[in-house]
């Protein structure tokens, strides 16, 4: 299963349509995860034209994004891999342990909020922030995440520049 992970698209201020470099990855996706701060549900509709979408609410998302089907957190199974998703994972210090407590069954947690890409593992858990494809803030590039999952295992996780 090939999963594309996004966060912090901040439409329409930052996302005025799917950037071509992002679309190139979405075409091969089996699933798209959006870790919050979509801001308008039309982004989720646009992404859903490529593959099924699971999204969580960010601090800038309103009732319209919740009505689309985005809860505050989500726990689910991806090809046998237990996954948790949340927008804001809190401060960097203690993040891995905090996510382990928040999602005790998960082996992967996808999150956003900071716009800072992160791929960290420990304590039987991998935490993954794809960054933002459209609002890079102090990062050198806008980014997304690519996850390859099979038979309960995360085979590959990459953060890919798209700007």
């Amino acid at each position: 299963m090939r999963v594309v992970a996004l966060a912090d698209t901040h439409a329409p201020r930052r996302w005025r349509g799917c950037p071509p470099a992002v679309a190139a990855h979405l075409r091969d996706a089996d699933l798209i995860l959006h870790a919050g701060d979509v801001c308008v549900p039309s982004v989720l509709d646009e992404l859903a034209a490529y593959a099924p979408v699971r999204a969580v609410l960010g601090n800038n998302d309103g009732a319209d994004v919740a009505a689309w089907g985005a809860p505050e957190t989500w726990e689910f199974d991806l090809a046998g891999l237990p996954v948790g998703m949340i927008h804001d994972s809190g401060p960097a210090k203690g993040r891995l342990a905090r996510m382990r407590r928040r999602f005790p069954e998960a082996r992967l947690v996808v999150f956003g909020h900071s716009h800072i890409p992160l791929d960290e593992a420990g304590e039987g858990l991998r935490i993954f922030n794809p960054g933002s494809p459209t609002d890079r803030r102090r990062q050198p590039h806008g980014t997304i995440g690519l996850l390859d999952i099979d038979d309960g295992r995360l085979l590959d996780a990459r953060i890919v520049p798209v700007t």
Side-chain angles (χ1 to χ4, degrees):
M1 172 178 264
R2 181 170 170 93
V3 179
V4 175
L6 305 159
D8 300 291
T9 48
H10 290 276
R13 189 170 46 100
R14 298 290 185 176
W15 175 287
R16 293 182 182 93
C18 187
V22 174
H25 292 285
L26 296 174
R27 287 185 192 101
D28 296 328
D30 296 309
L31 180 69
I32 300 165
L33 301 179
H34 196 300
D37 277 0
V38 177
C39 299
V40 295
S42 60
V43 170
L44 299 172
D45 293 331
E46 184 178 9
L47 294 173
Y50 291 95
V53 176
R54 291 189 182 169
V56 293
L57 291 173
N59 58 297
N60 288 296
D61 294 327
D64 54 350
V65 175
W68 190 91
E72 288 188 25
T73 63
W74 207 335
E75 294 180 75
F76 48 92
D77 179 280
L78 286 182
L81 181 73
V83 177
M85 193 161 59
I86 191 168
H87 179 62
D88 185 354
S89 65
K93 184 176 175 138
R95 181 179 284 140
L96 195 59
R98 189 170 46 257
M99 291 298 97
R100 167 52 58 224
R101 288 189 305 273
R102 177 64 185 85
F103 299 101
E105 302 302 317
R107 294 205 333 258
L108 170 68
V109 173
V110 177
F111 67 98
H113 189 60
S114 69
H115 300 222
I116 299 170
L118 176 75
D119 182 7
E120 183 180 335
E123 303 179 31
L125 179 66
R126 191 160 188 172
I127 58 174
F128 190 81
N129 183 337
S132 171
T134 53
D135 190 4
R136 62 184 181 85
R137 292 194 180 163
R138 294 170 300 282
Q139 302 307 302
H141 301 284
T143 55
I144 63 170
L146 303 178
L147 306 165
D148 291 315
I149 301 165
D150 187 40
D151 197 25
R153 295 179 313 153
L154 180 59
L155 303 176
D156 190 31
R158 290 171 289 156
I159 294 169
V160 178
V162 289
T163 62

